[in-house]
Amino acid sequence: MTTREPDLSAKPPILIVGGGLGGLTAALALARHGQPARLLEGAPAFGAIGFGIQFGPNVFYVFDRIGVSDAVLEKADSPAAVLMMDAFTGKEVTRVPTGPSFRARFKYPYIIIHRIDLHNILLDACRREPLITLESDAMVAGFVDHGDRVAVTTEDRRVFEGAALIGADGIRSRTRVQLLADGDPTPNGYMGFRTIVPMSDVTADVRRDIVALWGGPGFHIVHYPLRHGTLFNIAAVFRRSPSSERGDVTTYRAELERAYRNAHPTMKALLSMLDLGRRQAVGDRDPIRHWHKGRVVLLGDAAHPTLQSLAQGACMAIEDGLCLADCIAAADGDLMSAFRRYESARVVRTARVTFESRYIWDIYHSEGIRRDVYLQMLGERSEADTFQCLAWLYDGCTLPPQATH
Ligand SMILES: Cc1cc2nc3c(=O)[nH]c(=O)nc-3n(C[C@H](O)[C@H](O)[C@H](O)COP(=O)(O)OP(=O)(O)OC[C@H]3O[C@@H](n4cnc5c(N)ncnc54)[C@H](O)[C@@H]3O)c2cc1C
């Protein structure tokens, strides 16, 4: 990071709407450059929804730069492998070996971590940083770009001003609605459920040291351990009939049982452990080329929400945060050129994540002869093939030259 100059705290802050992983990273990265940031979070307190999250090694290029890698590694685990299993036979279809050969190739580990733990690491780092102001209970209702500054108003009518506004407010971003007015994210017809249970409660016959994905026609389950093997994280997804009404727990239980009726007994055992109280419609957006207008710019899910099949949505939000801060720091006050450079660094990479995530989603959930083809293709892959397929992603990304248009 660049050395901080003594009087930079006199600079107007950059406002960030949304204290998720992307917003916290952006605040830290800006502050490490000596740029003050004011982070506005709508929830009554900064915090995360408490499930597990997986990260590819690409995220460590950012964690190193913002100085949190050691803290993350202390809380995280590295799975023995990431395995895809056949939902009917229970046999392994393909794997990403995440042991020594992976470390040798990609320099950093593949990790699984409790989202709350990661959130707290970033939040604590923000709290220690004098250039960051954290405002919770600040649900932003809208903004005005005055040309030389931006003002945001919260639902309780407080006004905050800054040199620019970063919309890091997630897949249902209000900042995006006002900036681009391009409609809602597109649901893909699937519904997801997530649960964490103590490892001692897991009776299903599963490996507890890996990330496992069981894929079947129209449904899948992912599971992995958390907090050094003391917790077990399960996510289950299924395709709902387009004619289905909004349901309750009993309806969802019946629909899930129908979707998984031919699944392997282990999947059914995992299903019985699910808490159906929390659910989420799955969706993404078609990629777009421009995420800024004037002094307002988007990052993370607000800019490019993706399906979770590559486990890269948060990685991309975190990469965005650092990249945007680097572009702002290098632009010497020319925010428009900083935002253009940020877009040119990030649009193709994040769009590729979106498109490849859709492709992998289709592979997991395929049926009939298409499924047979995918199973054969995946089964033929060597470790070297797998690493080659992932290199564009896991090798991280670099900044492009200064944008000129
Ligand atoms: C089931 C599932 C599994 C996933 N697994 C992975 C994984 O393993 N690895 C991975 O990298 N990604 C994963 N993702 C994707 C990841 O969760 C998201 O991509 C990531 O959280 C996006 O971060 P963000 O900071 O852009 O937005 P968010 O995390 O959504 O944060 C947005 C923040 O903005 C706040 N906010 C919203 N509106 C306002 C407002 N008007 N004013 C103020 N604050 C506001 C919210 O309260 C929230 O704190 C998964 C997603 C799902 C659904």
Side-chain angles (χ1 to χ4, degrees):
M1 285 288 166
T2 50
T3 314
R4 196 181 305 160
E5 295 168 24
D7 63 343
L8 284 182
S9 56
K11 277 183 171 182
I14 289 184
L15 303 176
I16 302 172
V17 181
L21 298 176
L24 290 168
T25 303
L28 269 177
L30 286 167
R32 301 289 198 245
H33 277 298
Q35 167 62 56
R38 188 162 210 165
L39 190 52
L40 307 167
E41 166 56 45
F46 281 85
I49 297 178
F51 297 103
I53 191 156
Q54 310 171 54
F55 286 112
N58 48 312
V59 82
F60 279 96
Y61 293 92
V62 184
F63 289 161
D64 277 357
R65 288 278 310 283
I66 58 174
V68 298
S69 289
D70 289 345
V72 171
L73 285 170
E74 201 178 299
K75 294 285 182 188
D77 294 287
S78 193
V82 177
L83 255 55
M84 181 178 164
M85 327 280 284
D86 184 300
F88 300 123
T89 64
K91 289 197 178 128
E92 180 181 327
V93 174
T94 189
R95 66 167 57 202
V96 180
T98 46
S101 58
F102 184 94
R103 282 296 289 273
R105 170 62 188 81
F106 293 111
K107 187 172 167 202
Y108 294 104
Y110 191 97
I111 59 158
I112 40 191
I113 186 168
H114 204 303
R115 196 185 269 254
I116 289 176
D117 294 341
L118 176 60
H119 209 269
N120 285 340
I121 289 167
L122 295 175
L123 196 53
D124 288 348
C126 285
R127 287 192 174 120
R128 286 194 300 271
E129 180 48 77
L131 292 177
I132 297 176
T133 313
L134 297 169
E135 309 277 356
S136 56
D137 217 353
M139 183 62 82
V140 171
F143 64 83
V144 180
D145 185 343
H146 291 288
D148 59 346
R149 68 197 193 287
V150 181
V152 301
T153 306
T154 58
E155 282 183 347
D156 59 1
R157 303 244 156 255
R158 280 174 293 158
V159 176
F160 297 91
E161 284 199 346
L165 169 62
I166 299 174
D169 44 352
I171 189 165
R172 311 223 162 265
S173 165
R174 282 190 185 173
T175 312
R176 181 176 181 133
V177 168
Q178 188 179 343
L179 194 70
L180 305 176
D182 61 349
D184 292 328
T186 319
N188 73 351
Y190 282 75
M191 177 77 75
F193 302 87
R194 288 184 278 181
T195 296
I196 289 187
V197 294
M199 188 61 90
S200 50
D201 287 1
V202 179
T203 49
D205 179 21
V206 286
R207 276 187 68 178
R208 290 144 201 236
D209 61 341
I210 57 167
V211 174
L213 180 137
W214 302 68
F219 59 93
H220 81 248
I221 287 184
V222 176
H223 60 78
Y224 50 86
L226 287 174
R227 291 197 176 145
H228 312 318
T230 57
L231 298 176
F232 191 70
N233 187 83
I234 314 169
V237 161
F238 78 108
R239 185 171 52 222
R240 294 195 80 203
S241 151
S243 58
S244 300
E245 299 291 322
R246 215 181 144 81
D248 56 17
V249 169
T250 315
T251 323
Y252 290 126
R253 174 70 62 197
E255 288 185 21
L256 272 166
E257 281 170 5
R258 198 159 49 247
Y260 284 72
R261 64 191 175 284
N262 297 319
H264 190 271
T266 301
M267 283 188 95
K268 291 185 180 168
L270 290 165
L271 209 59
S272 69
M273 293 162 59
L274 279 183
D275 168 8
L276 304 185
R278 286 195 78 103
R279 59 195 165 267
Q280 197 163 22
V282 180
D284 65 3
R285 282 181 184 273
D286 286 331
I288 54 170
R289 286 190 190 278
H290 298 293
W291 306 327
H292 89 276
K293 272 186 195 166
R295 288 179 172 260
V296 182
V297 65
L298 305 174
L299 68 66
D301 276 9
H304 44 71
T306 177
L307 303 181
Q308 54 263 37
S309 22
L310 263 181
Q312 279 284 330
C315 289
M316 289 301 112
I318 289 167
E319 284 188 0
D320 283 353
L322 177 67
C323 179
L324 181 54
D326 282 355
C327 291
I328 290 171
D332 196 22
D334 182 354
L335 288 170
M336 303 315 116
S337 101
F339 295 165
R340 282 195 297 274
R341 188 174 182 216
Y342 157 70
E343 285 172 350
S344 69
R346 301 297 302 157
V347 164
V348 171
R349 181 170 171 80
T350 53
R352 186 164 174 183
V353 167
T354 302
F355 292 137
E356 287 209 13
S357 296
R358 287 179 185 172
Y359 175 65
I360 294 170
W361 191 272
D362 288 345
I363 289 181
Y364 292 166
H365 300 119
S366 57
E367 41 200 311
I369 195 157
R370 178 190 286 263
R371 178 177 169 78
D372 299 345
V373 171
Y374 285 142
L375 291 180
Q376 187 185 58
M377 277 167 52
L378 291 171
E380 285 169 352
R381 282 208 321 201
S382 65
E383 177 179 292
D385 295 335
T386 302
F387 287 173
Q388 182 58 33
C389 284
L390 291 166
W392 70 274
L393 185 59
Y394 289 172
D395 280 341
C397 73
T398 50
L399 273 182
Q402 201 77 38
T404 51
H405 54 91

